[in-house]
Amino acid sequence: MTGGGLDVTADGGGPTGGLEARLQSGTALSARRVVGLVDTDSFAKWGAHLLATAPAHWDLELLTVATPRSASRAQLRSAFRGLDVRLAHLAAAPPTPVHVDAIVERLRRDPPDAVLVSVIGPVAELVIDEVLRRVGRRPVLVTGLPGISYPAKWKGVFFRARADVFVLHSHREVRAYEELAAEGGVEPHFALATLPFARRGDAPGVPDPGRDGGASVRDAVVFAAQPSVPAERADRERVVGWLVETARRHPSWRVVIKVRAAAGEHQTHREQDPYPDLVPADAPANLVVESGPMSEHLDRAVALVTISSTAVLEAAARGVPALTLTDFGTGRHLINEVFVGSGLEGDARDLVDGRFGTVRAEWMHDNHFHPESENDWAARTEALMELRDAGALVDRPAARRSRGGELRRAWERKNALGPDDRSVLGTVALVIGAPVRAVKRLGRRVRRVVRPAEAPVVLAPTSQRAGPRRDASRRSDASRRSDLSDRLGDRSDGLRDGEEQLIAGGDPR
């Protein structure tokens, strides 16, 4: 945490996030204290790097929330590489996870001006609710989603509806979430920020030699693994087969399967079939499995390959060629619709042949590479802090429609914290709620058999050989309405049961 309560001038140097650039030189800004809360690997990386882009007069602190999926110290050290001077110490000494009750009590005793809630969905809902109920002069609540958040998902809005600012990373995402929130009866409250670890200092597509970490050799094709895309074991085995063949065809390359967690470490999304377990015993020696910061892997990268990892945006920001594999199609479940028209789509043949794409300039502005002058998250947060100073900060309503009082709150708490919640009421809620949840899930399975859901809209595979295809955002209105209905899901209690459970699994974002 940085020290001092002195005023900072707009030309005092350091990160600005675009705020000081819109102020007259010499404008005095009162120092603000902002606390970040993180838990899993991806939320830790996103939250810390977003704060590192905050205005220079923000005094920053970061805490790790203790949950069943909290990142390990090794994951945190990796996530916290490359932060600004206010947070640089975290890479060497990551904060020890603290129970949510202790964090909320700390905020109650000494409320900061703002809190960045960078945690998975159920935990975000719990933290926001606890702050609103227990902190008298409560801070401005900022939240958001790490990485690629298109298409919009209702549960992302649902869990975070009561936050004051919801940060997204492209104009396209903001439009999609505003449409989704309005359809779901939630007042839009979205703000724009450049994805913090995909910021560029150069023109589009031009490598930045100042960011290569001193690497003198580029010899690696890096595959950015994802824990749940593709989901089926057979598909993941196919991916490994393509990487094996690539390594054999190009013995001068190191083909790196870059994983986000070592054995026993948790991730934001659960991984059923880790790639390291699928590598055959006779794989060539130049096919390796490695972890560590993506930035260090990109220092040596000839190209980056993935299905739909956010790492492709990091590569594009550095001018590193990339390939988003479309062999499984292009659709919502693969999180790769955003790349249609990007110039990065390809297939396994492109990979094995060593044919990679470069991002198309016309795709960039609407998709994560807008000018930083268009970012408004810091300015909007600052305006809300001024409302807080005046005692005029208004609480936002929840999206959750269900009832149940204290017992329901205990259930949501148990769902968010799992074994870290040791309350008697939480145990009672689990005993009562688990059978109810099982019955509801069974009922939904029966309905799916009787009334099968429409197949998701999936575009056919494409390749670098075929050239770029038109943008998925130009699909028919009927398809978009179908998608919107699917995103909202069953609104009877806010979410499909499978989407709201952290105890039993599912996507927690």
Side-chain angles (χ1 to χ4, degrees):
M1 179 175 177
T2 57
L6 300 176
D7 286 351
V8 180
T9 60
D11 58 357
T16 67
L19 177 59
E20 283 86 344
R22 294 192 290 273
L23 297 174
Q24 294 181 356
S25 179
T27 301
L29 297 170
S30 299
R32 297 290 190 179
R33 190 164 69 89
V34 178
V35 175
L37 306 179
V38 302
D39 58 357
T40 65
D41 57 332
S42 58
F43 277 97
K45 180 178 179 180
W46 175 74
H49 285 263
L50 181 68
L51 285 180
T53 70
H57 67 283
W58 287 17
D59 185 22
L60 305 178
E61 181 180 8
L62 192 138
L63 303 172
T64 303
V65 183
T67 75
R69 298 196 197 177
S70 295
S72 68
R73 287 185 64 82
Q75 286 175 305
L76 291 176
R77 284 194 293 268
S78 176
F80 297 155
R81 297 280 182 87
L83 298 175
D84 82 329
V85 294
R86 294 169 294 179
L87 297 172
H89 62 281
L90 295 175
T96 301
V98 179
H99 194 278
V100 65
D101 288 342
I103 289 176
V104 174
E105 178 61 19
R106 180 172 174 175
L107 298 177
R108 188 190 67 79
R109 291 183 178 180
D110 185 17
D113 295 287
V115 172
L116 173 64
V117 183
S118 177
V119 295
I120 57 176
V123 180
E125 183 184 35
L126 172 65
V127 168
I128 292 168
D129 180 69
E130 290 291 299
V131 170
L132 290 171
R133 289 193 309 112
R134 293 172 52 186
V135 180
R137 187 168 172 268
R138 62 102 169 169
V140 174
L141 294 168
V142 183
T143 191
L145 295 172
I148 297 167
S149 301
Y150 182 89
K153 292 185 178 181
W154 171 246
K155 59 186 168 181
V157 177
F158 176 85
F159 286 127
R160 301 168 177 85
R162 303 194 73 187
D164 302 297
V165 178
F166 191 128
V167 179
L168 295 167
H169 300 293
S170 76
H171 289 291
R172 189 177 189 178
E173 289 179 355
V174 170
R175 290 196 306 272
Y177 270 89
E178 285 178 343
E179 177 186 5
L180 180 63
E183 182 72 15
V186 175
E187 181 184 350
H189 56 303
F190 304 104
L192 184 65
T194 300
L195 192 65
F197 30 86
R199 302 175 78 192
R200 57 157 81 257
D202 294 315
V206 178
D208 182 351
R211 294 182 59 183
D212 67 357
S216 58
V217 177
R218 287 192 174 271
D219 61 355
V221 170
V222 180
F223 173 71
Q226 297 165 265
S228 57
V229 177
E232 299 300 323
R233 181 184 180 93
D235 291 338
R236 296 170 79 83
E237 289 174 336
R238 287 178 65 195
V239 173
V240 171
W242 300 334
L243 296 171
V244 168
E245 182 61 23
T246 302
R248 287 182 175 142
R249 287 273 298 272
H250 303 276
S252 64
W253 286 351
R254 298 174 66 253
V255 178
V256 180
I257 300 177
K258 196 280 181 187
V259 297
R260 289 168 40 181
E265 292 180 326
H266 297 289
Q267 300 180 69
T268 301
H269 304 283
R270 298 183 191 278
E271 186 169 31
Q272 296 296 329
D273 297 294
Y275 281 105
D277 297 347
L278 306 179
V279 176
D282 63 347
N286 62 322
L287 177 67
V288 298
V289 177
E290 296 179 351
S291 58
M294 177 57 72
S295 60
E296 295 182 2
H297 288 282
L298 290 176
D299 289 342
R300 295 185 59 173
V302 172
L304 181 126
V305 182
T306 188
I307 307 298
S308 57
S309 170
T310 302
V312 75
L313 301 177
E314 297 186 56
R318 289 178 168 220
V320 174
L323 197 66
T324 60
L325 297 173
T326 63
D327 300 81
F328 308 109
T330 297
R332 176 181 179 80
H333 63 297
L334 295 168
I335 328 174
N336 60 355
E337 289 178 304
V338 68
F339 296 114
V340 173
S342 67
L344 302 177
E345 294 179 293
D347 61 10
R349 181 176 165 187
D350 289 324
L351 168 61
V352 174
D353 289 348
R355 188 182 301 108
F356 307 104
T358 55
V359 66
R360 300 175 68 206
E362 58 266 36
W363 177 85
M364 301 184 84
H365 180 270
D366 211 31
N367 296 281
H368 300 281
F369 293 103
H370 56 272
E372 292 199 20
S373 60
E374 296 177 5
N375 293 336
D376 63 354
W377 80 278
R380 293 181 64 176
T381 301
E382 190 78 30
L384 287 167
M385 288 191 281
E386 292 177 1
L387 283 178
R388 176 181 180 269
D389 294 342
L393 191 60
V394 178
D395 292 349
R396 297 175 57 86
R400 187 178 293 280
R401 305 289 188 258
S402 57
R403 297 175 176 84
E406 289 298 321
L407 190 61
R408 179 71 193 207
R409 184 176 289 117
W411 166 258
E412 301 304 336
R413 177 185 171 89
K414 189 72 174 178
N415 183 43
L417 300 180
D420 287 307
D421 172 43
R422 300 180 178 86
S423 67
V424 174
L425 191 56
T427 302
V428 172
L430 182 62
V431 170
I432 296 173
V436 173
R437 179 183 60 191
V439 170
K440 291 174 69 176
R441 283 181 170 174
L442 178 61
R444 294 184 195 281
R445 292 193 188 101
V446 171
R447 284 199 295 273
R448 283 197 293 269
V449 171
V450 176
R451 293 184 302 171
E454 293 184 12
V457 177
V458 178
L459 299 179
T462 189
S463 71
Q464 287 288 305
R465 305 178 303 284
R469 57 186 173 185
R470 69 185 180 91
D471 197 308
S473 65
R474 302 175 193 216
R475 289 179 300 159
S476 69
D477 289 340
S479 294
R480 293 180 66 212
R481 283 194 295 271
S482 175
D483 281 356
L484 186 61
S485 175
D486 178 66
R487 293 199 302 265
L488 287 169
D490 184 349
R491 293 282 310 284
S492 60
D493 63 351
L495 291 173
R496 295 185 180 97
D497 280 339
E499 292 182 339
E500 68 175 311
Q501 306 310 326
L502 186 57
I503 298 170
D507 181 351
R509 287 182 64 177

